[in-house]
C-alpha cells in the first residue's frame, strides 16, 4: 500500500523529517526562499497533509487545489494569520500550530529588543564598527533607564505574561490591556489592568503581544504615537502590521517617542530602502524571536507530530480549530 503524501514547505530539523518519513512520503521544499504561489499550488495537489510556514498563504484556493483528501494543515509557528481558519474548519481540516514551546524564547527576544532600543545598542555598535567611537563622552549615546520604569503590555497572552514577569528584576510597574482581565496575575504579580489609552499615556516601554486581526491591523498609528511619552520605547515581537510603519517612522524621526525595537515588520522582509532603516533609534531584527536551537527543534517536532496525527485521523497535539472534533 502506498504511503500518504505530505508537502513540507521548508527545511525543518532532520529528526522531525525522519519521524514524518517513517509513515509518510515527503515532498520537501529545500530552497531557502519560499515556493512561489504557483509552485505551492502545483505541489499541494493531491497531498494528504501540509506542513507550512507563516510565509505560505493557506486559503480556500489552496485547499481547493490540494483536493478533498487534504486532512491536516500543520503550521510551524504559534501565529496563523496566513491561514484561513474558518475555511479550514468549514472543510473539517484541523490546523495545528506550535504554542508554548516558543513562549520563553520569544519573551527573551522581546526583552533583548527592549534593552537594545532603550540603551541604543544597535546605534552604538554600528559606531564602534565604523570607527566612530572616538572617546568616552558624558553626553554620548544617552538612552532610557529600564529600572523603575513602567512597562505596558498590549495582549496578555502566553508571551505577554512572560515578558511582564521578567520585569520584576527591573522593579517595573506593569500595566496591561487585553480583552480578558487576569485578576490572578494582578494578585500574584501586581500587574494593573488598564485601557489602551492608559498604556499609551503612562508607559515608558510598550511591548506588543496581540494577534494580528482586522481589529488589530494598524492598532498603533498616528493618534496612538501622539499620546505616548517622548521617552517611550515600543517593542513589537508579534506581527508587523499591528503598527502603522509610516506613523512609526514619523514618531521616531521627529523623536516624539524615543526608540523602537522590532522583530517584525510590514512587509517582511523589510525592503532595504525602507525609511525605518535610516533611523538610528530603530532596532530591527529579521523575525527571529523564536529562533533558539532548542525551541526551533521543539517547533519542528510538534509540527511533525501534528502532521502525522492529522494524516492518521488522530486529534492534533495543538489544534487551533478544535471545533472540527465536535
Ligand atoms: C512566529 O512569528 C510565530 O508565530 O511563531
Amino acid at each position: 500500500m502506498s504511503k500518504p503524501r505530505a508537502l513540507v514547505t521548508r527545511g525543518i530539523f532532520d529528526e522531525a523529517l525522519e519521524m514524518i518519513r517513517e509513515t509518510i512520503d515527503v515532498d520537501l521544499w529545500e530552497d531557502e526562499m519560499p515556493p512561489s504561489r504557483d509552485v505551492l499550488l502545483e505541489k499541494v495537489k493531491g497531498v494528504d497533509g501540509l506542513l507550512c510556514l507563516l510565509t505560505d498563504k493557506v486559503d480556500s484556493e489552496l485547499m481547493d487545489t490540494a483536493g478533498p483528501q487534504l486532512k491536516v494543515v500543520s503550521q510551524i509557528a504559534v501565529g496563523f494569520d496566513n491561514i484561513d481558519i474558518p475555511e479550514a474548519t468549514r472543510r473539517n481540516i484541523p490546523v495545528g500550530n506550535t504554542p508554548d514551546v516558543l513562549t520563553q524564547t520569544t519573551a527573551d527576544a522581546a526583552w533583548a529588543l527592549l534593552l537594545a532600543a532603550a540603551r541604543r545598542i544597535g546605534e552604538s555598535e554600528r559606531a564602534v564598527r565604523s570607527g566612530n567611537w572616538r572617546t568616552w563622552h558624558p553626553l554620548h549615546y544617552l538612552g532610557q533607564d529600564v529600572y523603575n520604569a513602567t512597562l505596558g503590555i498590549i495582549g496578555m497572552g502566553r508571551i505577554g505574561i512572560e515578558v511582564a514577569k521578567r520585569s520584576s528584576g527591573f522593579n517595573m510597574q506593569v500595566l496591561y490591556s487585553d480583552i480578558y482581565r487576569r485578576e490572578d496575575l494582578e494578585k500574584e504579580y501586581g500587574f494593573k489592568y488598564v485601557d489602551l489609552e492608559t498604556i499609551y499615556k503612562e508607559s515608558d516601554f510598550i511591548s506588543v503581544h496581540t494577534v494580528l486581526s482586522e481589529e488589530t491591523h494598524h492598532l498603533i498609528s498616528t493618534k496612538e504615537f501622539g499620546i505616548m511619552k517622548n521617552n517611550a520605547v515600543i517593542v513589537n515581537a508579534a506581527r508587523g502590521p499591528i503598527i502603522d510603519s509610516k506613523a512609526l517612522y514619523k514618531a521616531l524621526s521627529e523623536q516624539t517617542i524615543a526608540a523602537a525595537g522590532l522583530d517584525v515588520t510590514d512587509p517582511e522582509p523589510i525592503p532595504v530602502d525602507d525609511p525605518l532603516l535610516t533611523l538610528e533609534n530603530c532596532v530591527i531584527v529579521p523575525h527571529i524571536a523564536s529562533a533558539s536551537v532548542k525551541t526551533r527543534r521543539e517547533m519542528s517536532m510538534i509540527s511533525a507530530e501534528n502532521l502525522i496525527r492529522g494524516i492518521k485521523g488522530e486529534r492534533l497535539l495543538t489544534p487551533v480549530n478544535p471545533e472540527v472534533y465536535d
Side-chain angles (χ1 to χ4, degrees):
M1 210 178 76
S2 63
K3 287 181 179 174
R5 290 173 49 214
L7 174 64
V8 176
T9 67
R10 224 67 45 84
I12 57 173
F13 272 72
D14 279 345
E15 53 260 54
L17 282 172
E18 280 158 24
M19 187 171 86
I20 302 171
R21 284 189 170 123
E22 281 170 19
T23 50
I24 295 165
D25 258 343
V26 174
D27 181 5
L28 173 65
W29 181 257
E30 289 186 81
D31 277 21
E32 176 196 2
M33 298 304 287
S36 67
R37 180 74 179 167
D38 286 350
V39 171
L40 182 62
L41 290 179
E42 190 51 43
K43 287 194 161 288
V44 86
K45 281 183 189 157
V47 299
D48 301 283
L50 173 66
L51 194 156
C52 57
L53 273 67
L54 42 88
T55 46
D56 306 314
K57 186 167 179 212
V58 181
D59 55 6
S60 60
E61 184 193 23
L62 183 139
M63 294 181 232
D64 280 341
T65 310
Q69 77 301 325
L70 181 67
K71 291 192 192 63
V72 58
V73 174
S74 173
Q75 164 108 328
I76 178 165
V78 66
F80 43 81
D81 44 277
N82 56 310
I83 304 174
D84 187 338
I85 301 295
E87 188 58 38
T89 306
R90 200 178 63 74
R91 295 164 189 249
N92 258 327
I93 300 173
V95 176
N97 68 341
T98 59
D100 302 319
V101 291
L102 50 66
T103 301
Q104 302 299 346
T105 307
T106 304
D108 286 350
W111 268 92
L113 285 168
L114 186 155
L115 289 165
R119 298 302 305 276
R120 303 173 67 166
I121 299 297
E123 174 186 2
S124 50
E125 213 241 5
R126 279 190 292 279
V128 173
R129 286 178 187 267
S130 60
N132 282 326
W133 178 23
R134 290 190 294 272
T135 182
W136 190 95
H137 193 294
L139 300 180
H140 281 181
Y141 302 113
L142 309 187
Q144 307 301 322
D145 272 319
V146 178
Y147 192 80
N148 268 348
T150 297
L151 171 64
I153 303 279
I154 299 180
M156 203 59 148
R158 283 177 283 239
I159 298 169
I161 292 170
E162 294 306 318
V163 170
K165 280 160 65 178
R166 280 162 173 67
S167 73
S168 66
F170 291 90
N171 205 35
M172 295 173 103
Q173 185 194 6
V174 175
L175 310 177
Y176 77 97
S177 98
D178 195 284
I179 43 174
Y180 302 109
R181 184 165 181 179
R182 292 291 305 266
E183 289 183 33
D184 54 333
L185 297 173
E186 293 174 26
K187 275 203 196 89
E188 189 168 353
Y189 301 103
F191 303 157
K192 195 168 155 200
Y193 187 58
V194 297
D195 58 15
L196 278 171
E197 184 154 339
T198 308
I199 297 256
Y200 300 135
K201 259 195 202 142
E202 295 184 9
S203 303
D204 302 301
F205 295 90
I206 297 174
S207 200
V208 180
H209 300 286
T210 185
V211 294
L212 175 63
S213 65
E214 270 170 35
E215 291 74 46
T216 62
H217 184 266
H218 284 194
L219 178 73
I220 305 175
S221 187
T222 309
K223 174 169 155 272
E224 291 69 27
F225 285 119
I227 312 173
M228 290 178 197
K229 294 179 169 181
N230 294 142
N231 64 297
V233 172
I234 184 151
V235 172
N236 189 2
R239 286 292 182 265
I242 297 169
I243 296 182
D244 174 351
S245 35
K246 285 205 176 72
L248 175 64
Y249 173 78
K250 196 161 184 293
L252 288 171
S253 57
E254 294 175 1
Q255 295 183 11
T256 61
I257 67 167
L262 308 178
D263 180 50
V264 289
T265 58
D266 181 21
E268 285 184 11
I270 187 168
V272 73
D273 60 354
D274 190 292
L276 280 175
L277 295 177
T278 64
L279 298 176
E280 291 288 15
N281 57 348
C282 190
V283 179
I284 306 184
V285 295
H287 204 148
I288 56 167
S290 68
S292 76
V293 179
K294 175 171 172 284
T295 291
R296 286 286 166 86
R297 178 179 284 119
E298 287 175 353
M299 289 167 69
S300 295
M301 294 309 280
I302 291 175
S303 59
E305 181 74 29
N306 278 335
L307 180 75
I308 296 165
R309 287 185 181 218
I311 288 182
K312 282 190 187 152
E314 293 171 5
R315 190 184 170 95
L316 307 194
L317 278 181
T318 48
V320 303
N321 55 347
E323 50 289 10
V324 295
Y325 300 114
D326 291 347

